[in-house]
Amino acid sequence: MNEKIPVFARVCAGLLIGAACAGYFVYAQFFAEKPWVLTVFHVNSFSSRLEPSREALTAGGVNITAETGGAAILKSELDSLGAYSGRKPAILLSTGMPYDTLSPFYGSYHGEAEAAAYNSICFDALLPGREAYEEGSGFADFASRLGVSGKCAPSVLSGDTSGDSMPMSAVRYKAFEKNGRKIGVIALHADGKASGKGEPVPADELSAVSRTAETLRKKGIGVIIIASDGDLAAAKQAARKIREADAVVSSGDTILGNDFRDLGLPSEGPYPLTVRRADGSMACVSLAGRSAEILGELRLRLDSDGNVLSCGGSPHLMLNGSIMVEDSGDKNDEVRRAVARHIYADLLKPDRALSETVAKYSSSIPGNRSERITESRGLY
């Protein structure tokens, strides 16, 4: 039959088909979804760290003392990193306890000062530490102060909302939409008593979180982040076992970021860690230790379906620029420049508005605010 079709007609048809295919290829390449990046900013156990603390560090083999962290420095860092710009998808998480019951701030204001800081910093979600579940912890009272006067407040995540210490608004998971991307954050509780005697995350907790993650996927949530109150071992276990998890952010006190060793701080490995599962899929694991001194900036590079292509980012040691150099002779300026150039050290000016808020509370606290007053294992 083809022999009856003129040669020029067959040539034209071939050219048209080829052009159509080429055009479709160009169209598909141009309009296909490109990989995208989700940034997760996270801090561990705020622990009433409203003011900076003095930290002993090293730089170029020289001992130094620097003021680190604090609420106003943290907000300034988040602002400098574009957390509030809204131009790119970003989630702000707080894992661990927001206050320390032995802090003068908590002793004087019972969570009001810490809640004021949280209202200013604008976390998306908060997963409290195990202390929040203890009788008399006061966590529900603290949570009731979040979002006052119409200000932003984090969603409180918890796997168990039955206790009196948890607010009625606490949830196992929360879904967010950032720049058109749907992101789910799920609470996962580790076994604080495992201590190497078994898996740090109980099997029933893994199953519960896995089921929640699968449900969120079916609802069209493209990215799943697990917020854990466990240590590094618990975070790795969750990343391996929960197939739907794209990232696990934990409140463990371990520091990740090998270059911290140059500052005299211990590190348990690179930041972040990448866990590859048996099926070839990946999950990112990150921790931000040292209460409100280090901000984690985890960057997940994902395909259009929400699968992790790579894990990246950096932890940030937040310094307010006040550095004292010890026994350096005429090398003071050189040491200060070395700190300023360090990959993890950021010299910042405190956020003015939040500094004024903190000052309002601290001005009424007598004595040495940097020290615990007393210690008690019972109720006051």
Side-chain angles (χ1 to χ4, degrees):
M1 177 180 250
N2 289 340
E3 293 178 357
K4 297 181 180 180
I5 300 177
V7 173
F8 76 89
R10 280 181 280 170
V11 171
C12 289
L15 290 174
L16 288 172
I17 293 172
C21 290
Y24 176 79
F25 177 79
V26 172
Y27 174 89
Q29 289 294 308
F30 184 80
F31 289 99
E33 285 196 66
K34 300 294 190 297
W36 61 286
V37 175
L38 170 66
T39 302
V40 182
F41 296 106
H42 58 98
V43 295
N44 167 43
S45 297
F46 196 79
S47 300
S48 299
R49 295 291 293 278
L50 299 181
E51 296 178 308
S53 300
R54 301 202 69 80
E55 180 72 44
L57 305 171
T58 61
V62 175
N63 295 327
I64 65 172
T65 303
E67 289 193 351
T68 65
I73 290 289
L74 173 58
K75 186 174 182 182
S76 178
E77 179 73 283
L78 286 165
D79 188 41
S80 70
L81 295 173
Y84 303 120
S85 68
R87 290 191 295 270
K88 297 179 180 180
I91 289 283
L92 277 65
L93 297 181
S94 172
T95 57
M97 281 301 284
Y99 57 82
D100 181 349
T101 55
L102 300 178
S103 162
F105 279 104
Y106 188 86
S108 296
Y109 302 105
H110 306 289
E112 179 185 336
E114 293 86 350
Y118 268 62
N119 288 336
S120 177
I121 294 169
C122 291
F123 292 103
D124 288 302
L126 159 65
L127 175 73
R130 298 181 186 88
E131 299 94 330
Y133 299 87
E134 298 175 358
E135 183 180 357
S137 70
F139 183 78
D141 183 50
F142 161 80
S144 69
R145 303 175 188 273
L146 298 174
V148 296
S149 303
K151 295 182 179 179
C152 53
S155 299
V156 178
L157 302 177
S158 173
D160 180 9
T161 59
S162 60
D164 293 338
S165 61
M166 282 294 106
M168 294 181 63
S169 59
V171 292
R172 165 70 88 167
Y173 73 88
K174 183 68 176 180
F176 302 91
E177 186 166 331
K178 302 283 185 175
N179 299 74
R181 307 284 185 175
K182 294 182 178 181
I183 303 154
V185 183
I186 308 173
L188 179 143
H189 295 295
D191 183 359
K193 299 179 181 179
S195 301
K197 299 178 181 179
E199 292 285 15
V201 183
D204 57 348
E205 178 71 359
L206 283 174
S207 297
V209 174
S210 295
R211 289 194 299 269
T212 301
E214 291 171 1
T215 299
L216 292 182
R217 289 288 194 193
K218 292 176 182 178
K219 291 182 178 180
I221 305 298
V223 181
I224 303 294
I225 300 169
I226 307 298
S228 170
D229 59 5
D231 57 13
L232 182 58
K236 288 181 178 179
Q237 180 192 3
R240 289 195 309 269
K241 299 290 187 179
I242 302 175
R243 171 63 183 82
E244 304 295 341
D246 295 303
V248 180
V249 177
S250 182
S251 62
D253 289 331
T254 299
I255 297 177
L256 294 180
N258 287 336
D259 285 340
F260 275 126
R261 296 168 186 169
D262 296 339
L263 294 172
L265 300 177
S267 172
E268 296 298 322
Y271 180 101
L273 296 174
T274 301
V275 173
R276 188 175 293 276
R277 293 180 280 254
D279 62 0
S281 62
M282 290 188 295
C284 308
V285 172
S286 61
L287 299 90
R290 307 181 76 88
S291 308
E293 291 183 11
I294 297 175
L295 171 70
E297 182 189 9
L298 171 64
R299 292 193 295 272
L300 286 72
R301 185 170 174 269
L302 306 124
D303 65 17
S304 58
D305 295 323
N307 299 308
V308 176
L309 299 175
S310 62
C311 308
S314 173
H316 300 271
L317 177 65
M318 298 174 287
L319 308 175
N320 75 349
S322 177
I323 300 174
M324 296 179 61
V325 184
E326 303 174 15
D327 303 325
S328 63
D330 58 354
K331 296 183 178 180
N332 289 13
D333 292 339
E334 181 181 335
V335 171
R336 289 191 174 91
R337 285 194 295 269
V339 174
R341 289 194 303 267
H342 195 277
I343 187 172
Y344 294 150
D346 293 348
L347 302 179
L348 303 151
K349 292 183 178 180
D351 178 81
R352 179 179 296 179
L354 189 47
S355 290
E356 293 174 354
T357 298
V358 172
K360 179 184 71 173
Y361 289 103
S362 65
S363 61
S364 300
I365 298 177
N368 190 341
R369 297 188 298 273
S370 65
E371 295 182 0
R372 295 184 176 188
I373 298 173
T374 185
E375 183 170 354
S376 173
R377 298 188 181 277
L379 298 178
Y380 289 104

